[in-house]
Amino acid sequence: MASSQFLCTSCKIGKTQLNSFKKSSSISLSPTTYRPKGSSFLQQKSHFGRTLFVKASSDSRTGKNQVEIVFDLEDKLNKLADEVDKNAGLTRLTLFSPCKINIFLRITGKREDGFHDLASLFHVISLGDTIKFSLAPSKSNDRLSTNAPGVPLDDRNLIIKALNLYRKKTGTDNFFWVHLDKRVPTGAGLGGGSSNAATALWAANQFSGCIASEKDLQEWSSEIGSDIPFFFSNGAAYCTGRGEVVQDIPSPIGYGIPMVLIKPPEACSTAEVYKRLRLDETSKIDPLALLEKISRNGISQDTCINDLEPPAFEVLPSLKRLKQRVLAAGRGQYDAVFMSGSGSTIVGVGSPDPPQFVYDDDEYKDVFLSEAHFITRPANEWYSEPALGTVGSSVTEFSRAE
């Protein structure tokens, strides 16, 4: 049975040293030596400036020592890594979990099941969380951790619900250790939890060799949340029903258009907002007409209609005042200012910069601020975090005028 070691150092090797190595099968390592477990390389420079890598092995049956000269360590290590991956399968995965905004949101009626029918243009944006998945050694439970206080870590969390749903639908038995690096605020109308659930379903499917189609994942996801199916779109979709009927559309908005997100620390209860909704006071504009106008002319204030604004402003009167102040202070720098979802985020499309009063007034010292832009995803791939993006922050992290 042959055993082998790979040694890596930076001293020069000549013919005499190689012969000596064959006889003794031992070399002293420098402090900077890198030793992969169970194997290492001896790295040297030849007289011609070419890097040599020496693989030493010994046969326990014959007592013979052998030396293999390898000229391309990177290629060798890549092949070894490929072999390990092939045998071990996927064990870790890190994914971006972006949020969304509702460019317009029409509530068109109330259903017999108690939900409301809506028609909305959803679009993914560049603000998002990062979720790290690792296969758990046990086959009994998932473990969730996060940097965000107040986020439930049990099966009330949509990530855990999504993993349970995937196992139920597929019969697989993978469990996971999950860490959620939370940047999307909760209670914001940005669908952060729904995105986390969609990302967890995508991840679980990757670990299982993609045994389910994206269509399967999208359909299953509606069982645990109305907004989750949207995230299996290309990133821009016209959504109807409870939100689970998703029609992919080419993005009607330029990717270079910036926006600013402003969310006060207070959240809006979605249930309370819908409770205060009066259907006879909602907009009467055809949502398809709004979609056509945006596709033709881009975003404008008159197309960004949200029927949930009036009831949300009843729940949180300070939110109405914030929107009015952003509109007044913007002086044309924003193409539109509106609330996303059921609140409490106010979106200003057209500029990444918040109005100055957000920095100056103590009333807004604890608001969440983030710039963002629209993103989509390629077919058969998950969303990628933009290379250049601004992580959401409290305004207290920015310098404020005194």
Side-chain angles (χ1 to χ4, degrees):
M1 181 72 178
S3 62
S4 64
Q5 269 197 322
F6 298 87
L7 310 177
C8 176
T9 184
S10 55
C11 60
K12 290 186 177 179
I13 288 184
K15 185 175 181 181
T16 303
Q17 289 170 298
L18 286 175
N19 287 336
S20 174
F21 177 69
K22 287 182 181 179
K23 293 176 183 177
S24 66
S25 189
S26 65
I27 285 185
S28 61
L29 300 175
S30 70
T32 57
T33 297
Y34 169 66
R35 282 177 176 264
K37 185 178 180 182
S39 65
S40 56
F41 269 97
L42 175 60
Q43 174 181 349
Q44 306 296 342
K45 286 285 186 178
S46 72
H47 294 297
F48 301 100
R50 190 173 185 183
T51 303
L52 303 178
F53 302 94
V54 180
K55 174 184 176 182
S57 63
S58 62
D59 194 315
S60 58
R61 292 172 300 179
T62 64
K64 292 182 178 180
N65 298 321
Q66 295 178 327
V67 175
E68 175 188 351
I69 306 296
V70 182
F71 285 95
D72 190 345
L73 176 61
E74 184 176 356
D75 180 63
K76 189 76 174 180
L77 291 179
N78 284 340
K79 287 179 179 177
L80 287 171
D82 288 343
E83 194 65 29
V84 169
D85 287 343
K86 187 190 304 179
N87 295 333
L90 186 64
T91 58
R92 291 185 298 274
L93 185 62
T94 298
L95 293 173
F96 182 55
S97 180
C99 64
K100 58 80 182 170
I101 62 171
N102 301 84
I103 298 172
F104 66 78
L105 176 55
R106 287 287 339 279
I107 307 299
T108 57
K110 189 166 184 178
R111 302 152 53 107
E112 291 182 0
D113 59 8
F115 289 96
H116 288 78
D117 280 317
L118 60 83
S120 179
L121 175 56
F122 284 57
H123 209 301
V124 170
I125 61 174
S126 57
L127 173 66
D129 304 328
T130 300
I131 311 180
K132 297 179 180 180
F133 299 88
S134 300
L135 275 178
S138 71
K139 297 289 184 181
S140 58
N141 62 283
D142 300 300
R143 189 174 73 186
L144 176 63
S145 61
T146 183
N147 64 326
V151 173
L153 303 179
D154 54 18
D155 57 10
R156 292 172 296 165
N157 190 291
L158 281 169
I159 292 175
I160 303 299
K161 287 184 178 181
L163 296 175
N164 286 334
L165 177 68
Y166 186 82
R167 284 187 289 265
K168 173 186 171 185
K169 293 293 187 180
T170 62
T172 54
D173 61 354
N174 286 333
F175 287 81
F176 301 92
W177 290 350
V178 184
H179 180 73
L180 170 63
D181 183 5
K182 196 74 181 156
R183 285 175 271 175
V184 178
T186 57
L190 299 174
S194 296
S195 174
N196 293 166
T199 304
L201 283 170
W202 174 275
N205 200 41
Q206 298 301 304
F207 281 98
S208 299
C210 299
I211 58 177
S213 68
E214 282 192 35
K215 191 67 176 173
D216 290 332
L217 300 178
Q218 187 177 54
E219 290 178 358
W220 298 342
S221 69
S222 66
E223 296 182 19
I224 57 174
S226 299
D227 288 351
I228 304 172
F230 159 70
F231 289 96
F232 292 101
S233 71
N234 63 19
Y238 179 67
C239 299
T240 53
R242 293 182 289 111
E244 86 285 7
V245 182
V246 180
Q247 179 184 341
D248 273 85
I249 60 172
S251 177
I253 301 126
Y255 298 121
I257 299 176
M259 71 187 75
V260 63
L261 310 176
I262 309 173
K263 183 202 174 295
E266 300 84 8
C268 280
S269 163
T270 299
E272 186 62 28
V273 169
Y274 272 101
K275 183 178 176 182
R276 297 187 183 222
L277 174 69
R278 292 177 286 276
L279 286 172
D280 59 339
E281 296 180 9
T282 59
S283 171
K284 300 302 182 284
I285 298 177
D286 183 349
L288 288 174
L290 293 173
L291 180 62
E292 181 183 358
K293 189 171 182 179
I294 291 172
S295 300
R296 187 174 62 248
N297 302 323
I299 291 177
S300 60
Q301 190 64 45
D302 64 325
T303 56
C304 295
I305 293 170
N306 185 343
D307 285 336
L308 295 182
E309 281 189 6
F313 293 163
E314 285 185 24
V315 174
L316 197 61
S318 60
L319 193 60
K320 179 178 182 179
R321 185 167 64 254
L322 174 60
K323 179 188 175 182
Q324 291 172 335
R325 291 196 67 178
V326 174
L327 275 168
R331 299 175 184 173
Q333 83 180 93
Y334 305 114
D335 300 320
V337 176
F338 54 91
M339 186 184 79
S340 180
S342 58
S344 59
T345 300
I346 298 297
V347 182
V349 174
S351 172
D353 301 317
Q356 187 61 39
F357 75 82
V358 175
Y359 297 104
D360 295 342
D361 293 7
D362 284 342
E363 180 182 356
Y364 300 107
K365 66 180 180 180
D366 294 323
V367 300
F368 170 93
L369 288 176
S370 179
E371 65 179 74
H373 58 271
F374 298 103
I375 64 170
T376 57
R377 70 179 179 103
N380 304 315
E381 295 181 22
W382 198 242
Y383 300 93
S384 297
E385 184 170 13
L388 296 175
T390 299
V391 176
S393 307
S394 166
V395 73
T396 55
E397 294 181 71
F398 294 84
S399 59
R400 300 179 67 231
E402 298 297 335

